[in-house]
Amino acid sequence: MTSTQQTGVPFERIRGSPGFNVNNLECSICHELLWKPVACRTCETPFCSICINQWLINHPNQCPNQCQIFAERKCPPFIVKLLSQLQIACFYQSTGCNEIISYEGLDKHEIECNFQSQQCPGCQLQIIKEDFDNHISNCTSIELTCQDCKIVYKRGDADRKHTENICLKEQLRQLRDEYKENKREMHELTLQLYEIRLLNRKEFIEIKLIEIAALADKRDTSKHQQ
Ligand SMILES: [Zn+2]
Ligand SMILES: [Zn+2]
Ligand SMILES: [Zn+2]
Ligand SMILES: [Zn+2]
Ligand SMILES: [Zn+2]
């Protein structure tokens, strides 16, 4: 799991009363709370690093504030200090996490949060991390492959698609197929062997015929010479 922040952190997730105007900590690109900010060297405006990097893809070297050229610098320390005083609700509050975390600890918490969800490859539902292993070993939509007969079936269909009887029948069918295949191969090999023998015999006869012809020629020429 990686960081959940695609842009800034929504202001609604700030908890408690920070004692200063959080609107000053808004990213002017995504209009959310600055997340891992960097700033423009010229105008010192901070932006979420994700936001400014996306912006720079479409506007190379341009500052969103119309500065001559965008060069990145560290976010001004007073902004970093204000951000660090904030308390933020976990991204996974919608799936049940009630943690309120300091701005600086947010990333680490969310990467490890037990309430982040993952899609089940079977039923396609979003399952929270804590329940995931348990869900995977019980979900009726998960596909299983039998090691013996290689039939693929959904766990929930086992009593229709993969009973002990079906499994044994399938193994038997595969054995028969294998036997048939072996038999066919044997037959082909025998045929090949037969052809080779035939060829050898044919060659042998041809050689003999040539020898006989040569012998006859010799006899003819010696007759003429006499
Ligand atoms: Zn932003
Ligand atoms: Zn600028
Ligand atoms: Zn959490
Ligand atoms: Zn499932
Ligand atoms: Zn089986």
Side-chain angles (χ1 to χ4, degrees):
M1 298 278 165
T2 52
S3 174
T4 47
Q5 314 302 335
Q6 295 306 311
T7 57
V9 179
F11 281 103
E12 309 87 79
R13 281 174 50 200
I14 298 175
R15 293 291 178 269
S17 26
F20 52 86
N21 188 356
V22 289
N23 291 335
N24 296 330
L25 302 176
E26 181 184 298
C27 163
S28 59
I29 299 175
C30 68
H31 303 291
E32 308 276 24
L33 179 68
L34 288 164
W35 180 246
K36 296 187 178 175
V38 292
C40 166
R41 189 166 288 175
T42 316
C43 65
E44 297 206 339
T45 310
F47 309 97
C48 309
S49 64
I50 305 172
C51 292
I52 191 68
N53 284 324
Q54 273 169 3
W55 161 275
L56 288 170
I57 292 172
N58 298 321
H59 312 83
N61 299 322
Q62 283 177 46
C63 170
N65 279 351
Q66 253 85 65
C67 301
Q68 275 294 321
I69 223 169
F70 179 86
E72 189 182 300
R73 54 155 282 175
K74 273 190 175 171
C75 181
F78 78 96
I79 301 232
V80 176
K81 202 172 163 210
L82 289 178
L83 285 170
S84 72
Q85 290 169 34
L86 297 175
Q87 296 289 311
I88 316 280
C90 173
F91 177 83
Y92 299 106
Q93 57 182 345
S94 58
T95 46
C97 182
N98 293 319
E99 294 274 334
I100 309 291
I101 312 105
S102 71
Y103 181 90
E104 284 162 328
L106 188 62
D107 211 19
K108 186 173 181 289
H109 168 81
E110 287 180 351
I111 288 168
E112 293 166 356
C113 179
N114 273 335
F115 289 90
Q116 59 189 305
S117 56
Q118 224 173 317
Q119 194 177 42
C120 167
C123 64
Q124 312 292 318
L125 285 177
Q126 290 291 332
I127 310 297
I128 62 170
K129 190 178 166 187
E130 207 174 33
D131 297 342
F132 198 74
D133 289 346
N134 190 26
H135 176 88
I136 289 293
S137 42
N138 290 299
C139 176
T140 52
S141 302
I142 292 278
E143 281 196 335
L144 304 173
T145 306
C146 173
Q147 292 307 308
D148 297 323
C149 71
K150 309 286 182 273
I151 284 183
V152 181
Y153 59 99
K154 285 187 178 163
R155 184 183 279 122
D157 295 340
D159 51 354
R160 287 189 297 113
K161 300 243 169 94
H162 187 256
T163 58
E164 210 183 325
N165 199 10
I166 293 175
C167 184
L168 286 174
K169 265 190 192 159
E170 177 60 20
Q171 287 183 64
L172 197 65
R173 192 190 64 76
Q174 285 171 11
L175 274 175
R176 272 205 207 106
D177 280 0
E178 223 172 273
Y179 172 72
K180 264 188 221 158
E181 179 64 15
N182 283 343
K183 222 172 138 187
R184 198 185 56 77
E185 264 173 30
M186 275 299 284
H187 182 67
E188 252 168 38
L189 280 175
T190 317
L191 274 181
Q192 275 175 20
L193 201 66
Y194 178 72
E195 265 170 27
I196 289 168
R197 281 208 192 116
L198 218 62
L199 208 68
N200 282 345
R201 192 181 297 166
K202 208 176 142 206
E203 261 174 25
F204 177 79
I205 292 171
E206 268 167 11
I207 291 167
K208 284 294 159 204
L209 281 174
I210 291 168
E211 280 174 9
I212 291 167
L215 222 65
D217 265 0
K218 221 176 172 183
R219 200 175 298 152
D220 278 353
T221 40
S222 57
K223 253 187 204 166
H224 283 298
Q225 277 166 1
Q226 278 169 4

